[in-house]
Amino acid sequence: MRLTHLADYAVVMMTAAARRPAAACLSATELADETGVPLPTAQKLMQRLAAHGLLTGTRGAGGGYALARPVTAISLADIVEAVEGPITMTQCSGSDEPSDCALDAHCRVKPHMGIVGAKVRGALGAVSLEELAS
């Protein structure tokens, strides 16, 4: 399993935000400058992270984004899922619906792939933003 560039950038940006004082407002421009993430990508990611409850946005002069929860209450899994969606290991994971897979009709592993995804999510969920930022 490998993170996409967007998920990787989101982790980098969230760790940079976590190193700031609690409730500090940050702009996409500040985070882009600090992390090297291109500004349009930083803006897009901050909106997505806010939509998933990881950042809160404040409009107007002096506005920006701040962490929505303490760094101990945000996990690596939360960040990855905000960008990528639910953590699944295969295209058929987490669904009883038929998939595009040629083995779908007779696969004996499919019923167990949800367990694997849950374990991976659990491992990523055990890593807090606080740990990543230290």
Side-chain angles (χ1 to χ4, degrees):
M1 183 175 119
R2 176 179 252 173
L3 294 180
T4 65
H5 288 300
L6 283 180
D8 186 27
Y9 291 165
V11 171
V12 168
M13 289 173 50
M14 289 291 286
T15 56
R19 290 186 191 105
R20 302 286 180 96
C25 267
L26 304 158
S27 71
T29 302
E30 288 175 307
L31 278 180
D33 289 345
E34 183 177 330
T35 63
V37 173
L39 180 58
T41 303
Q43 292 168 326
K44 175 180 165 180
L45 286 171
M46 290 178 87
Q47 289 173 351
R48 202 176 283 184
L49 293 163
H52 283 85
L54 300 180
L55 295 175
T56 55
T58 304
R59 294 187 182 273
Y65 288 93
L67 294 177
R69 303 190 304 238
V71 292
T72 56
I74 298 174
S75 72
L76 178 55
D78 295 333
I79 300 167
V80 170
E81 287 183 329
V83 176
E84 299 293 322
I87 296 169
T88 58
M89 299 306 294
T90 62
Q91 66 179 347
C92 65
S93 292
S95 175
D96 291 330
E97 300 296 316
S99 71
D100 296 6
C101 180
L103 305 177
D104 190 74
H106 54 79
C107 181
R108 291 184 175 192
V109 177
K110 178 179 177 177
H112 308 289
M113 289 309 290
I115 297 166
V116 175
K119 297 275 185 184
V120 170
R121 204 242 179 251
L124 296 178
V127 180
S128 72
L129 184 55
E130 178 183 49
E131 292 174 280
L132 293 171
S134 63

